[in-house]
Amino acid sequence: MGQGRVVSAAEQSLGVLIRKLESIASLSPQERQALTGLSVTVRTLSAGQDIVRDADRTTQCCLVVQGWTGRYKLLTRGRRQIFSFHVPGDIPDLESLFRPVMDHSVATLTKATVAFIPHESLRELIAAHPGLAAVFWRSTLIDGAVFRAWMLGLGRRSAFEHMAHLFCELYLKLRAVGLAGDGRCPLPITQVDLGDALGLSNVHVNRVLQVLRGQKLISLHSSTLVIEDWPALVRISEFDPEYLGLEKLVAT
Amino acid sequence: MGQGRVVSAAEQSLGVLIRKLESIASLSPQERQALTGLSVTVRTLSAGQDIVRDADRTTQCCLVVQGWTGRYKLLTRGRRQIFSFHVPGDIPDLESLFRPVMDHSVATLTKATVAFIPHESLRELIAAHPGLAAVFWRSTLIDGAVFRAWMLGLGRRSAFEHMAHLFCELYLKLRAVGLAGDGRCPLPITQVDLGDALGLSNVHVNRVLQVLRGQKLISLHSSTLVIEDWPALVRISEFDPEYLGLEKLVAT
DNA sequence: CGTGATCTTGAATACGGTCAACGGTAGTGG
DNA sequence: CCACTACCGTTGACCGTATTCAAGATCACG
């Protein structure tokens, strides 16, 4: 990082977590300090690996440090619904702290680094710092708000509008933690994954992407999404960023 | 109630709340006691009234005491998506405690009695009783789990499977608070509402209902849903009640 | 350079939507 | 008590979005 200092994997993980939490709330110095005291175990996984499985009983949460993960559930006949994408700083299974039996799975969508945090540590942390409990609670509430936004897309938006909405969401979410900007953000997932999130077939995802590109709304280059016409995307998808609960919503 | 004692509207409201919370967690006597100390304002509304509106900034939560309410959001061209149904004991906008600006609306779906609880009172309550904070947090997490179940239906289930799944969910949810049993539960909403929850047109809701009745899976009589073949409904919709977070899952 | 995954395209099909009309029913007011 | 009204449920005909199936092209990685 050009800082002339070796940063351990654990320190890096907690830095990523703090950056994320500060994108949705403000932390006191004591709270930041307390967070850096968390004990974590860092692991690197290849794409397509399950981190936690449906029906598992968990004793730790997983923090995404690098790469993307997703929550999903399978039905018969190979049907899969992805419920959320998770990027560095997110804790996809934070809820397992209060509902340890999983009702869905969490998996890597790309090669990813994840840090495991024991429930025990998190429980001590929030008992000692009620402010942090509120931040984590708030974080799960934002997850819920994102679920609702996706429901609206799944139920009532056209495939075209829905995809446009998702791209708006991903761009802002990534920018909030410093992983996007200048109209560009990484999109390191396959069209199948995109379809499983949008409730579409991979074939239709491909066709809708072609329309979005054809209308000069976006473009794609080697797994990066370029927002070519933000105002149009926002208008078409009726996108309102309020639900993301981001502290600062500046710049493009 | 045949108890030879007058029960005030406020007492009744809190009783309904306690019954609901006990369906998803166990409360200590002190916690129950503390809950009964909440100050509430009770109101009765006709069907189709907004209780809180998208973009409102709130200072209180609303507890459903009687009747059904729902959370929803509108898009252009009259499109509406209902995100959840709320029955007596539910607090549809509990999240507003930590996210006071609404990203959706809450409305009555039937004539309903609701009790308003100031954020201030709830905040004092959970500060004094961390156990209750955990119960409320858990309640918002269960809401999230229900959102995911609906997403799976919206994205990957057929209309037929999706509706069957919803009926299984509603039946168990109502039974858990004593409002259903013996294979019957109230279903006091219109086919339009059902469609807006399932992401379907009212016309298609009507047709799917006919198939469900034709296959002797359910029947409908004056706003009550009769489950005629529970095992078949569960099998068809791949229903697994785990996500509802109910403490006891006994009997039919 | 080879191989499996991913992306792309076309053709046929199905699921659910839209539009329009009609019927039933509960509530209202004369 | 009946007529009127508004809302809800029901039905039919037609249409459109998205799926399925199948094949071929391209890409990424070992």
Side-chain angles (χ1 to χ4, degrees):
Chain A
M1 312 291 260
Q3 290 183 334
R5 160 157 147 59
V6 176
V7 177
S8 77
E11 283 177 89
Q12 189 209 344
S13 304
L14 295 168
V16 168
L17 173 61
I18 290 169
R19 182 180 62 180
K20 151 68 187 267
L21 294 180
E22 289 192 314
S23 80
I24 60 164
S26 29
L27 303 177
S28 72
Q30 297 91 313
E31 287 165 349
R32 260 195 303 279
Q33 187 57 38
L35 282 165
T36 59
L38 279 173
S39 67
V40 303
T41 312
V42 179
R43 278 214 297 157
T44 295
L45 303 168
S46 59
Q49 304 296 305
D50 278 339
I51 300 173
V52 203
R53 285 212 181 78
D54 202 354
D56 280 358
R57 171 173 287 276
T58 61
T59 58
Q60 54 186 9
C61 291
C62 83
L63 161 68
V64 182
V65 180
Q66 237 175 51
W68 285 30
T69 68
R71 303 202 249 179
Y72 73 94
K73 189 167 172 99
L74 297 176
L75 290 177
T76 52
R77 275 172 280 141
R79 293 173 293 180
R80 178 174 72 148
Q81 178 67 43
I82 292 180
F83 301 124
S84 55
F85 292 127
H86 293 280
V87 301
D90 291 345
I91 303 179
D93 58 350
L94 180 54
E95 339 179 340
S96 69
L97 196 56
F98 289 97
R99 308 197 63 217
V101 177
M102 298 296 291
D103 58 31
H104 61 279
S105 301
V106 180
T108 56
L109 298 173
T110 68
K111 183 168 183 295
T113 306
V114 299
F116 293 98
I117 313 175
H119 285 174
E120 206 45 53
S121 317
L122 279 171
R123 258 186 256 282
E124 287 165 15
L125 182 73
I126 65 179
H129 300 269
L132 282 179
V135 174
F136 282 124
W137 188 347
R138 190 174 140 81
S139 169
T140 62
L141 295 177
I142 291 172
D143 282 355
V146 173
F147 290 153
R148 286 191 297 269
W150 285 34
M151 287 172 80
L152 190 54
L154 287 163
R156 291 308 191 199
R157 276 191 246 261
S158 69
F160 182 72
E161 297 164 338
H162 191 187
M163 197 179 293
H165 195 274
L166 177 61
F167 288 158
C168 290
E169 174 183 310
L170 289 174
Y171 178 67
L172 288 193
K173 214 182 130 166
L174 286 162
R175 203 190 53 182
V177 292
L179 295 172
D182 206 23
R184 335 180 112 247
C185 73
L187 188 72
I189 57 175
T190 66
Q191 293 184 2
V192 171
D193 293 335
L194 218 40
D196 285 345
L198 295 168
L200 301 172
S201 67
N202 60 334
V203 174
H204 201 55
V205 165
N206 187 280
R207 289 175 176 144
V208 172
L209 277 173
Q210 289 181 46
V211 177
L212 281 165
R213 284 183 291 204
Q215 298 195 190
K216 304 278 190 243
L217 299 171
I218 62 157
S219 60
L220 291 165
H221 307 103
S222 56
S223 295
T224 101
L225 167 68
V226 181
I227 310 284
E228 301 285 1
D229 191 342
W230 177 259
L233 278 179
V234 166
R235 179 169 33 80
I236 287 166
S237 63
E238 301 180 51
F239 180 76
D240 174 357
E242 173 62 33
Y243 74 99
L244 290 171
L246 301 175
E247 284 277 287
K248 47 196 164 31
L249 268 177
V250 289
T252 304
Chain B
M1 311 292 261
Q3 291 184 334
R5 162 160 145 58
V6 176
V7 177
S8 79
E11 283 178 89
Q12 189 209 346
S13 303
L14 295 168
V16 169
L17 173 61
I18 289 169
R19 182 181 62 179
K20 151 67 188 270
L21 294 179
E22 288 192 314
S23 80
I24 61 165
S26 28
L27 303 178
S28 71
Q30 297 92 313
E31 287 166 348
R32 261 195 301 279
Q33 187 57 39
L35 282 165
T36 60
L38 278 173
S39 68
V40 303
T41 311
V42 179
R43 277 214 297 157
T44 296
L45 304 168
S46 60
Q49 302 298 305
D50 278 339
I51 300 173
V52 204
R53 284 211 181 79
D54 202 353
D56 279 357
R57 171 173 288 274
T58 62
T59 58
Q60 54 187 9
C61 291
C62 83
L63 163 66
V64 183
V65 180
Q66 239 176 48
W68 285 31
T69 68
R71 302 202 249 179
Y72 73 94
K73 190 170 172 97
L74 297 176
L75 289 178
T76 53
R77 274 172 280 142
R79 294 173 293 179
R80 179 174 71 148
Q81 178 67 45
I82 292 180
F83 301 124
S84 53
F85 293 127
H86 294 279
V87 301
D90 291 346
I91 303 179
D93 58 349
L94 180 55
E95 339 179 343
S96 69
L97 197 56
F98 288 98
R99 307 199 63 217
V101 178
M102 298 295 292
D103 58 29
H104 61 280
S105 302
V106 181
T108 57
L109 298 173
T110 68
K111 183 168 181 297
T113 306
V114 299
F116 293 98
I117 313 174
H119 284 174
E120 206 45 53
S121 316
L122 279 170
R123 257 186 258 283
E124 287 165 14
L125 182 73
I126 65 178
H129 300 270
L132 282 179
V135 174
F136 282 124
W137 188 348
R138 190 174 139 82
S139 170
T140 62
L141 295 176
I142 291 172
D143 282 354
V146 173
F147 290 152
R148 287 191 297 270
W150 285 33
M151 287 172 78
L152 189 53
L154 287 163
R156 292 307 193 199
R157 277 191 246 260
S158 69
F160 182 73
E161 296 163 339
H162 191 186
M163 196 178 295
H165 194 273
L166 177 61
F167 289 158
C168 290
E169 175 184 309
L170 289 176
Y171 178 66
L172 289 192
K173 215 183 131 165
L174 287 163
R175 203 190 54 183
V177 291
L179 295 172
D182 205 23
R184 335 181 112 248
C185 73
L187 188 71
I189 58 174
T190 66
Q191 293 183 4
V192 171
D193 293 335
L194 219 40
D196 285 344
L198 296 168
L200 301 172
S201 67
N202 60 335
V203 174
H204 202 57
V205 166
N206 186 282
R207 289 176 173 141
V208 172
L209 277 172
Q210 290 181 48
V211 177
L212 282 165
R213 284 183 290 204
Q215 298 195 190
K216 304 276 189 244
L217 299 171
I218 62 158
S219 59
L220 291 167
H221 308 102
S222 56
S223 295
T224 101
L225 167 69
V226 181
I227 309 283
E228 302 285 1
D229 192 341
W230 177 258
L233 277 179
V234 167
R235 180 171 30 80
I236 286 165
S237 63
E238 302 181 50
F239 180 76
D240 173 359
E242 173 62 34
Y243 74 100
L244 290 171
L246 300 175
E247 282 278 286
K248 46 196 163 33
L249 268 177
V250 289
T252 303

